[in-house]
Every structure is written in structure tokens, then in C-alpha cells.
Amino acid sequence: MRKKIATPKEISTGEPAIKKSRDFFLDVYDVVRQIPKGRVTSYGAIANYLGTKLSSRMVGWAMNGAHGIKPKVPAHRVVNRNGMLTGRLHFATPDEMENLLKAEGIEVKEHTVSNFKNLFWDPYTHLSL
DNA sequence: CGTGTGACCGGCG
DNA sequence: ACGCCGGCCACAC
């Protein structure tokens, strides 16, 4: 079930979306949407699940366009390998990401998810190929 | 079509 | 522990 979604450019410019989206983006969004509430995962884990574990940066790029698209993409549940909220500055406000996580019962200190190890949700494991 | 950049990651000194 | 470097690949210029 993959529909056409806009690229970060198209979204940021408020374009009609739907043009030449990459399946990669869609796959990323699908995975992110499946992250259970109260759990988090990393860019690398998603990339790994999609078979392109060396392209974790693309996951971040995809998140860049995950804003305001529908269905909602819980981008706040994606952090880097250390549990750090590296993408927080890309949200409406610098605290948005942190607040969303806290609202789900996740403790955040110093821009880092506490007990990240336990809350980590690996799509490669849970969505078994 | 070449170059630079990035919400990353793993490896190496 | 810490910092640097290379790889990946889509996109903007």
C-alpha cells in the first residue's frame, strides 16, 4: 500500500505534492508509523530494515519531509543511535520533539532519551522480514 | 552534469 | 573517551 507523497521540497513549498516521490520515502514513513507509542527507534535501524543500512542519512532527509503529511508520521520517535534527539531543531519549536516524547511517557534528559536501550524498538526485529 | 550538504553510522587512531 | 574520515544517496544550485 504505497501512495504518492511529496518530496521535502514539494512539501516545504506547499506544492500539490505527488510528483516523483521515491518509494524509499514511503517505506520510511510506513515504518515510522508502526513505531509503538512510547517506544523509539533510530535512523540507522530503519535504514537497516529497508536494506540500505549505510544510507541512514536518507532516513533523516525523509523525515525532513515528514512534517505535515498525512497520515501523521511520528517523527519524534526517531532518534540517533545514542538516543539523542538530533532532529529536534527541525520541529516547530526546539522543545516540540521532547514534549511529544514526554507526553508518551518517555523521559528525556539533556536532549537524550533515558533508558533508550529499553525503549528501543527495532523494526528489523519486530517487523521480521 | 559537477559539487556540496545532511534529523547518520561504523571504524580507526 | 574523543575526534576524524569515508560511505551512502537524494536533492539544491
Side-chain angles (χ1 to χ4, degrees):
Chain A
M1 48 158 73
R2 37 196 56 176
K3 301 168 184 175
K4 290 294 184 178
I5 301 180
T7 61
K9 171 63 174 299
E10 295 167 338
I11 293 170
S12 62
T13 56
E15 282 292 298
I18 303 180
K19 199 186 265 182
K20 60 166 185 181
S21 61
R22 298 264 155 260
D23 281 352
F24 181 75
F25 280 58
L26 305 183
D27 288 336
V28 171
Y29 298 151
D30 279 341
V31 175
V32 175
R33 278 195 279 261
Q34 292 178 65
I35 301 172
K37 185 179 178 183
R39 302 294 295 282
V40 295
T41 192
S42 70
Y43 302 96
I46 294 173
N48 180 50
Y49 169 70
L50 296 179
T52 57
K53 71 172 184 180
L54 295 180
S55 305
S56 43
R57 296 172 115 182
M58 293 307 99
V59 176
W61 183 250
M63 288 297 98
N64 205 34
H67 262 287
I69 75 169
K70 33 190 180 315
K72 213 161 113 183
V73 176
H76 61 281
R77 295 183 190 144
V78 185
V79 298
N80 78 352
R81 67 174 168 206
N82 303 309
M84 235 181 267
L85 282 54
T86 50
R88 69 195 191 86
L89 297 179
H90 289 263
F91 282 74
T93 71
D95 306 311
E96 181 76 11
M97 188 173 185
E98 194 168 319
N99 292 331
L100 287 170
L101 289 173
K102 288 180 177 176
E104 297 183 355
I106 297 177
E107 185 179 4
V108 180
K109 285 181 179 175
E110 300 298 306
H111 307 312
T112 303
V113 174
S114 302
N115 59 329
F116 169 63
K117 193 178 177 183
N118 289 324
L119 297 178
F120 181 67
W121 182 85
D122 188 354
Y124 189 83
T125 298
H126 296 264
L127 297 183
S128 60
L129 307 174

